[in-house]
Amino acid sequence: MDIRLQEKLDALPTEPGVYLMKDKRGQIIYVGKAINLRSRVRSYFTRTGDTRVFVSMLDTMLGDLETVLVHNEKEALLLENELIKKHKPRFNVLLKDDKQFISLRLDRHQPFPRLEVVRKYEKDGARYFGPYSSAGAIRETLRLINRFFQLRTCTDHVLANRKRPCLLHQIGRCPAPCVFPVSQEDYRKSVDEVAMFLEGKAGELTEGLRMRMKRAASELKFEEAARVRDQLLAIERSLERQKVATSDFKDQDVFAFFREGDRILFYVLHVRQGRLNGGQAFPFGSQEFPDDELLASFVNLYYDQGGFVPEEVLLPLEPGDGTDGLEALLTERRGDRVKVFVPKRGEKHELVNMAVKNAEQAFVERKRTKDETDTVLSRLQSKLGLRNFPRRMECYDISHFQSSSIVASQVAVTDGETDKSRYRKYKIKTVDKQDDFASMYEVITRRLKRGLEDGDLPDLLVIDGGKGQLASAHAAMKDLGVEGVDVVGLAKSRDQEVFDRDAESAKSPERVFVLGRKDPIVLPQNSAEMFMLTRMRDEAHRFAITFQGKSMRKSAMRSALEDIPGVGEGRRKMLLRHFGSLKRVGDASIEELAEVVGPAMAERVHAGLHGDPEDDTEDPVREASLDDASEPSREKAAHEKADGGSPPGTA
């Protein structure tokens, strides 16, 4: 070991803090926390029974070490969390700040509350239920609630501005408080029943419904009694499917993990009011550090995502520095006492065992899926003659509408799965007319320049198009001196001319164009390799069309109002905020416009949008309507891909 580094290890303090391990290039590869920094860090170099690759290579890999001292373990947990999110070290577990958690929010402070799907918990006085393991689970719950409890589903804005009841009222699924004088007391009863249903309070809820059914029947209100009966049966069936996990009816999160080498999968089992409410799996690779450290770090990051913090957190093993710091941190985030412990027996120990089994099952399933994906990628490499194993692929598509609003999309796939963190959108800057070849040259040039600077290049570029588009991409690679990246072109199938009148119309197969090969490669059309390529190409097409539509909408809104003298950015925002869209601004009368911008400016805006009444020119509002702007989503005009020829000005 380097003498300077050995001196740092010898001088480590015995106080709590955070340590940052760096490699020879100065890159942070691991962030950890400890109550005793000297004991924890030095333990990595004294482990004799630890056979993991990273620990054995630490002497040669470690280039530098930094420490930050704090007052206690809770501060160390907070700092560790922030540093992991900032530096994204190679050997830490990393949770993405995206759509991990789905919950339901019920704000009882509103006169007519509704259920909202949210992904973040806030201390706003509302009730939160969840998290739910999948969008399908939350849709099923909402379907049942909307059918039998009859809460409104519209937004607050719609509630305040609706003039007549919606379809849900007409089919008997909403009392329409937006229009009719609905009793808040009666509505509040439905809200209370929804809360009991989501909390799993089966006995209290069903008993109340049964009494209401009998009361309605005794008052000869047979239709209401039948409705309550159906509601009761549906709720009982739903609650029967929820297995009772504990007898103390607490909110709990149960953590477990399964590990093989450097691959580890954490599993979180959710228990709400004593009933199982689903679970989530979080797989990670390149994890060489001890189990107790990774578990504590994962739990810390998990609750930093804005998720609900329960009353109890159950762990399969004791974290290296104990549970006191984690317990104090979670108590602060919850605003109430949280217990963190490792159960050794009883119901809670059985819950941990159940979570461990789920972790192992999820690990095995993902491993099998990964092996299958690697087989498909290996066949793709072989059939296309690629130099690289195509683990990281990117696909590009050019989209334009009537030679304007030229945009491009970049979608990414990592290990056979879409990687939305690497999606990119491009506005073409150097081409002002319909030229797919020059546009593709610009996009690939911009992407590869950034990749060369960041050291982030894919294994395979897939170009949506034929020989021309492929040649443009290759020209960009040559001009930048990029080597070691494969590139292919994927041409869509097209209608073939059929001379037999009785023959059905036919389509040519999808073709893959490869550099240095005259004829395209035709993969089996139903093969997994072709499905992977076409799915990526279709996603790039969808992403480009969506971006183009948004760009054209912005342009339409901006141009129609900007051409009116006296209407600056402030007035434009006022109008759009008040009316909601440019079309509604155009449909507004002078009197309605005057309420926002005054009488004189209202006449000017109305005249500017509609023109002189005697003028026969087209209405610019209709000409730049949102419906027209979304036209590319139905038809990608002038977007035919050329199968041959050289891209002008790109070689």
Side-chain angles (χ1 to χ4, degrees):
M1 184 184 298
D2 183 81
I3 297 177
R4 182 180 56 86
L5 188 57
Q6 183 64 57
E7 291 175 350
K8 279 193 173 185
L9 290 175
D10 294 337
L12 284 172
T14 58
E15 300 173 53
V18 173
Y19 55 93
L20 296 87
M21 292 183 174
K22 299 182 179 181
D23 61 13
K24 302 294 185 181
R25 298 177 300 169
Q27 295 291 323
I28 296 175
I29 57 176
Y30 186 75
V31 174
K33 63 91 184 172
I35 295 179
N36 186 323
L37 284 171
R38 174 181 292 180
S39 175
R40 170 60 56 81
V41 176
R42 290 172 66 90
S43 69
Y44 293 123
F45 302 92
T46 58
R47 294 174 185 265
T48 56
D50 202 324
T51 58
R52 284 192 296 275
V53 176
F54 176 74
V55 175
S56 63
M57 292 176 58
L58 198 56
D59 288 348
T60 58
M61 183 180 294
L62 190 62
D64 197 4
L65 182 71
E66 290 184 11
T67 59
V68 181
L69 298 180
V70 295
H71 293 98
N72 51 51
E73 186 185 0
K74 188 179 82 172
E75 291 184 5
L77 280 165
L78 289 169
L79 181 58
E80 177 197 37
N81 189 6
E82 291 301 318
L83 292 175
I84 288 175
K85 290 192 295 184
K86 179 180 178 180
H87 298 291
K88 298 179 173 58
R90 174 182 171 189
F91 292 105
N92 281 99
V93 291
L94 300 173
L95 274 177
K96 298 179 181 178
D97 287 328
D98 60 1
K99 301 172 181 177
Q100 297 282 6
F101 309 103
I102 312 174
S103 302
L104 290 172
R105 177 181 181 271
L106 184 65
D107 187 0
R108 292 178 179 237
H109 297 100
Q110 295 180 339
F112 297 102
R114 73 184 183 103
L115 277 176
E116 300 175 83
V117 179
V118 297
R119 299 188 183 276
K120 293 288 183 182
Y121 284 73
E122 298 179 6
K123 295 181 180 179
D124 54 4
R127 292 289 308 278
Y128 289 86
F129 305 94
Y132 288 82
S133 57
S134 66
I138 208 166
R139 276 197 301 268
E140 175 63 22
T141 301
L142 284 174
R143 184 194 65 79
L144 189 64
I145 290 172
N146 292 338
R147 181 175 181 182
F148 293 107
F149 292 98
Q150 299 188 356
L151 296 190
R152 69 178 175 97
T153 59
C154 58
T155 63
D156 295 341
H157 177 75
V158 173
L159 177 72
N161 295 280
R162 186 178 288 281
K163 303 300 182 184
R164 58 182 182 179
C166 65
L167 178 63
L168 288 177
H169 172 74
Q170 297 176 27
I171 63 176
R173 294 193 179 182
C174 178
C178 54
V179 178
F180 300 119
V182 177
S183 167
Q184 288 194 23
E185 182 180 354
D186 293 340
Y187 191 92
R188 188 69 58 177
K189 291 179 181 177
S190 297
V191 173
D192 294 338
E193 290 173 352
V194 167
M196 285 190 287
F197 173 74
L198 292 173
E199 290 170 353
K201 295 180 178 179
E204 187 178 348
L205 176 58
T206 55
E207 182 62 28
L209 290 174
R210 195 170 285 109
M211 290 177 60
R212 190 199 299 180
M213 178 181 66
K214 292 179 179 179
R215 184 169 57 251
S218 64
E219 295 174 358
L220 305 183
K221 298 178 181 178
F222 298 117
E223 289 185 0
E224 181 182 348
R227 185 182 63 80
V228 177
R229 177 202 61 200
D230 295 340
Q231 180 182 4
L232 181 61
L233 292 174
I235 291 169
E236 286 177 338
R237 284 196 298 268
S238 176
L239 292 175
E240 282 174 1
R241 292 196 297 266
Q242 301 179 19
K243 180 181 177 182
V244 176
T246 59
S247 58
D248 52 7
F249 300 103
K250 289 184 177 180
D251 292 337
Q252 300 166 317
D253 280 344
V254 188
F255 289 81
F257 63 89
F258 186 83
R259 184 171 195 164
E260 279 188 4
D262 65 340
R263 295 169 61 185
I264 189 170
L265 182 141
F266 291 98
Y267 195 88
V268 187
L269 198 65
H270 306 298
V271 180
R272 299 294 179 261
Q273 294 294 317
R275 294 177 179 270
L276 290 179
N277 197 32
Q280 293 173 291
F282 301 85
F284 300 98
S286 300
Q287 302 300 320
E288 297 289 353
F289 278 80
D291 298 341
D292 55 349
E293 285 189 43
L294 293 178
L295 177 64
S297 180
F298 173 77
V299 174
N300 185 16
L301 287 170
Y302 178 84
Y303 288 113
D304 188 59
Q305 300 283 295
F308 170 74
V309 181
E311 301 170 71
E312 293 183 351
V313 174
L314 311 183
L315 304 179
L317 55 82
E318 188 86 13
D321 294 324
T323 61
D324 293 343
L326 189 60
E327 196 170 89
L329 180 60
L330 295 183
T331 296
E332 181 179 299
R333 287 176 178 166
R334 175 180 169 85
D336 197 3
R337 176 69 189 277
V338 177
K339 293 183 178 179
V340 180
F341 55 91
V342 182
K344 301 299 183 182
R345 62 183 66 86
E347 291 179 335
K348 294 173 183 178
H349 181 63
E350 291 301 318
L351 277 178
V352 172
N353 288 339
M354 184 187 302
V356 170
K357 290 179 181 178
N358 278 281
E360 182 177 2
Q361 178 64 24
F363 186 94
V364 171
E365 290 178 357
R366 289 175 181 270
K367 182 180 179 182
R368 182 175 64 248
T369 302
K370 184 180 184 303
D371 292 342
E372 293 172 354
T373 300
D374 287 348
T375 301
V376 173
L377 293 176
S378 179
R379 290 203 304 263
L380 186 65
Q381 179 185 16
S382 175
K383 291 180 179 180
L384 299 185
L386 306 177
R387 292 170 293 179
N388 306 316
F389 185 76
R391 189 171 300 282
R392 300 176 74 238
M393 299 185 286
E394 294 176 358
C395 184
Y396 298 85
D397 181 40
I398 305 294
S399 178
H400 44 72
F401 178 63
Q402 296 178 349
S403 301
S404 65
S405 183
I406 307 175
V407 300
S409 66
Q410 167 193 323
V411 301
V413 169
T414 302
D415 291 325
E417 296 294 332
T418 54
D419 187 354
K420 293 193 175 182
S421 65
R422 289 169 46 220
Y423 278 28
R424 298 292 183 271
K425 298 175 288 190
Y426 298 87
K427 287 186 177 180
I428 303 302
K429 300 177 180 178
T430 60
V431 182
D432 57 1
K433 60 180 180 179
Q434 181 180 333
D435 189 338
D436 280 358
F437 303 141
S439 299
M440 185 63 71
Y441 178 86
E442 177 189 331
V443 170
I444 299 300
T445 299
R446 289 164 60 182
R447 164 64 181 101
L448 295 180
K449 276 185 178 179
R450 187 180 72 247
L452 290 172
E453 293 172 359
D454 301 341
D456 176 31
L457 293 174
D459 301 311
L460 173 65
L461 299 178
V462 179
I463 308 301
D464 182 17
K467 290 182 179 179
Q469 285 80 4
L470 178 60
S472 295
H474 185 232
M477 296 172 66
K478 286 178 61 179
D479 291 347
L480 292 173
V482 174
E483 298 179 355
V485 176
D486 292 305
V487 57
V488 299
L490 179 61
K492 297 182 180 71
S493 60
R494 57 185 180 182
D495 292 332
Q496 292 178 324
E497 190 172 0
V498 179
F499 296 99
D500 186 353
R501 294 182 179 178
D502 297 329
E504 296 182 358
S505 60
K507 282 185 174 292
S508 66
E510 301 262 7
R511 294 148 294 155
V512 182
F513 290 88
V514 180
L515 293 173
R517 181 165 177 160
K518 180 180 178 181
D519 297 323
I521 298 173
V522 179
L523 297 174
Q525 298 300 289
N526 294 324
S527 64
E529 306 91 83
M530 178 54 70
F531 175 75
M532 185 175 291
L533 291 177
T534 55
R535 185 185 64 171
M536 184 165 52
R537 190 267 317 281
D538 293 343
E539 173 68 357
H541 182 72
R542 179 202 65 80
F543 196 48
I545 289 295
T546 303
F547 178 48
Q548 185 186 53
K550 289 181 180 178
S551 300
M552 294 182 68
R553 289 187 190 96
K554 283 185 178 179
S555 177
M557 287 184 179
R558 185 168 55 249
S559 61
L561 287 175
E562 282 182 347
D563 292 340
I564 302 173
V567 178
E569 183 177 354
R571 283 197 175 106
R572 187 170 65 251
K573 287 183 177 179
M574 287 171 57
L575 288 167
L576 292 174
R577 188 181 300 116
H578 180 82
F579 291 101
S581 69
L582 181 66
K583 185 178 184 302
R584 291 183 178 178
V585 176
D587 292 339
S589 64
I590 295 179
E591 291 74 16
E592 291 172 327
L593 293 170
E595 295 177 2
V596 184
V597 294
M601 183 56 65
E603 292 183 4
R604 185 182 298 178
V605 171
H606 193 273
L609 292 177
H610 295 275
D612 193 309
E614 298 180 359
D615 192 354
D616 292 331
T617 57
E618 293 186 1
D619 184 352
V621 176
R622 305 300 178 190
E623 192 175 25
S625 69
L626 298 185
D627 290 339
D628 292 338
S630 64
E631 182 64 22
S633 66
R634 297 188 295 269
E635 180 182 8
K636 194 174 183 182
H639 193 67
E640 295 295 327
K641 302 295 184 180
D643 289 342
S646 298
T650 59

